[in-house]
Amino acid sequence: MHGGLPTPVVTVRLLVDGIPRTLWLKLEAYNLYGSIKGRTAAALWQDVAPRIDGHIGFIESSSGNLGLALAAIAAAHRVPFTAVVDPHISRFLLRDIRALGARVVSVDTPDSAGGYLLNRLEYVRDQLEREPRLVWTDQYTNPANPAAHSRWTAPELHRQTAGAQMSVLVAVSTGGTLAGFRAYASATGAPWELVGVDVTGSAALGGVPGRRVLSGIGASRASAFLPNGHDPTMYVTAEEAVNTCLWLDERTGIGIGSSSGALVASALRLFHADPERASVACLCPDGADRYSDTVYSRDWRHGQGIFETGIGSGVNVLAPPSVQAAPAAGDPALGDQGNTRGSP
Ligand SMILES: Cc1ncc(COP(=O)(O)O)c(C=O)c1O
C-alpha cells in the first residue's frame, strides 16, 4: 500500500520588509489525481475495500479533490462510486469525475451554516438508509484520513526539509491533514510550530459559521478530528487568499489553488509580524489547474465582489524558485512508499 507520489518542495526566497526569508511550498498538485487527496483516498480505500459490495459500491461527500481521487480508484477496481458535491465544485473536476464513470449528485441547497456540507451529509445518510450495503468512506470521521498524513505526508516533509525547525502551515476542512501532522509531530518530536489556516465563515476549528465562496477549505461544522480546535489558527478572507494566488503566480509562475493562497497569505502575515522569522513551510493541497474559472477568472472574482488588494506590498521575490529534490522511489527512508513511482 502506498500513499501517493512523493511531491516536490519548492524554495522561494523573499525579501519581506527588507529582510531575507525562505518560503517552502510543498506542492501536492504533483500528487496522484492532482491534489493531496490522492493520499487520503488511498488510505480511505484501503480501509473500506474489504467491505465493498462490487455491485453496490461506495459513496462520499466531497468538494471535488477527494471525489476525483476516489472516482479514479473506483474505476480501477470496477466498483460503482457516487460523489456528492455542491455548486462550488470546479467544473474541471466535475468533468473528470464524470469521465471516470462516477455518478455525481450535486446538492444545491445551502445549509444553515452558509455552506453545503450539512446538506451533502444528509443526502449521504439518506442513501445509506435506503441501501444498507452501500459503504461510506466518511472522510469526516474515518481515522484513515489523518493516518494518511501522519504516515505519509508529514514524514515526507520532515525528510525533505532535513528536520529543520519551522512553522508548517496547514489548510483545514475536515481537519484530517492537520490532525495527522499533529499526531506525527507529537510522536516524533518534529520541531514544528503547526499553524492551522482556515477561512472566515468556517466552523472547522471553532469559528463562527457564515457565507463562504472558496472550495476545499473551511467547513460548516467543527472538525471531528480536532474537536477542541487548534492553537494557533489563522483566519484568512477569500479576498486575501485569491489575491495571494494571483500575486504568487505573477511573481514566480507557481500556480496554486485557493486554500494554498490562504496559506501563503498567512505566511506573509507571519513574516511581516516578526522580523526574526526566517522560514515558513506551506503544505499546498492543490494547484491552479482546477481554478481557472474561479480564482484565476476576473469575471468570477468581480462577481464575488473580490477586487485587487496590495497583498504583495513590502515583499520582493529574490531569485527564481528552486526545487528541493523529492525523495526518490526506492529510497529506503520512504518506508512502505518506497515502491511507488518516481517523483514528478
Ligand atoms: C483544496 C484543499 N484545501 C485544503 C484541504 C485540507 O483539508 P482537510 O482538512 O480535509 O485535510 C484539502 C484536502 O485535503 C483540499 O483539497
Side-chain angles (χ1 to χ4, degrees):
M1 180 64 191
H2 66 78
L5 300 175
T7 55
V9 174
V10 170
T11 304
V12 182
R13 300 208 186 278
L14 302 174
L15 203 60
V16 181
D17 304 325
I19 301 164
R21 325 288 183 109
T22 301
L23 185 62
W24 279 305
L25 304 178
K26 185 162 176 60
L27 299 179
E28 289 292 313
Y30 290 85
N31 217 315
L32 292 174
Y33 325 119
S35 83
I36 194 168
K37 289 287 188 190
R39 302 181 194 261
T40 318
L44 292 172
W45 170 258
Q46 186 180 37
D47 179 60
V48 302
R51 289 189 279 126
I52 287 183
D53 176 314
H55 297 290
I56 307 291
F58 65 111
I59 190 166
E60 183 57 285
S61 148
S62 164
S63 56
N65 282 335
L66 183 65
L68 177 62
L70 289 175
I73 292 173
H77 291 86
R78 297 180 189 283
V79 297
F81 169 60
T82 301
V84 183
V85 303
D86 67 49
H88 286 322
I89 189 173
S90 151
R91 71 185 161 94
F92 305 103
L93 288 177
L94 199 55
R95 178 199 61 195
D96 292 350
I97 293 171
R98 287 205 170 107
L100 285 162
R103 179 172 165 250
V104 176
V105 174
S106 182
V107 169
D108 296 340
T109 314
D111 57 42
S112 52
Y116 294 88
L117 175 62
L118 303 181
N119 288 345
R120 279 199 254 132
L121 293 178
E122 198 176 299
Y123 178 84
V124 170
R125 288 200 190 92
D126 182 59
Q127 294 302 301
L128 292 169
E129 258 173 44
R130 284 166 197 257
E131 176 47 86
R133 286 170 300 167
L134 182 65
V135 168
W136 179 21
T137 36
D138 192 3
Q139 61 163 327
Y140 306 95
T141 68
N142 190 332
N145 174 356
H149 305 292
S150 56
R151 191 170 159 208
W152 297 320
T153 326
E156 192 179 295
L157 176 65
H158 199 191
R159 283 192 298 275
Q160 288 171 309
T161 51
Q165 185 164 357
M166 61 191 181
S167 299
V168 180
L169 274 50
V170 180
V172 174
S173 180
T174 65
T177 313
L178 181 56
F181 270 67
R182 274 173 43 155
Y184 175 79
S186 67
T188 62
W192 291 342
E193 179 201 29
L194 292 173
V195 180
V197 174
D198 203 351
V199 280
T200 51
S202 165
L205 295 176
V208 181
R211 181 176 171 266
R212 289 175 289 117
V213 298
L214 302 181
S215 121
I217 185 168
S220 299
R221 62 171 196 186
S223 162
F225 303 118
L226 301 164
N228 301 316
H230 178 82
D231 189 23
T233 291
M234 299 177 74
Y235 285 91
V236 174
T237 63
E239 189 164 69
E240 272 181 285
V242 166
N243 276 294
T244 306
C245 291
L246 301 177
W247 171 81
L248 188 76
D249 186 37
E250 188 192 304
R251 297 303 171 93
T252 67
I254 301 170
I256 53 173
S258 50
S259 62
S260 309
L263 298 175
V264 176
S266 303
L268 295 182
R269 259 201 240 159
L270 291 174
F271 284 140
H272 284 303
D274 181 2
E276 303 285 315
R277 192 183 286 272
S279 61
V280 170
C282 297
L283 178 65
C284 297
D286 63 6
D289 56 305
R290 35 207 70 181
Y291 298 90
S292 55
D293 59 342
T294 53
V295 171
Y296 294 91
S297 153
R298 183 191 296 255
D299 286 350
W300 180 84
R301 292 196 302 270
H302 288 186
Q304 299 297 333
I306 294 176
F307 298 97
E308 216 169 294
T309 57
I311 202 90
S313 106
V315 185
N316 291 305
V317 177
L318 281 178
S322 56
V323 179
Q324 200 105 351
D331 180 342
L334 279 173
D336 66 1
Q337 275 196 89
N339 293 324
T340 61
R341 287 159 45 194
S343 55

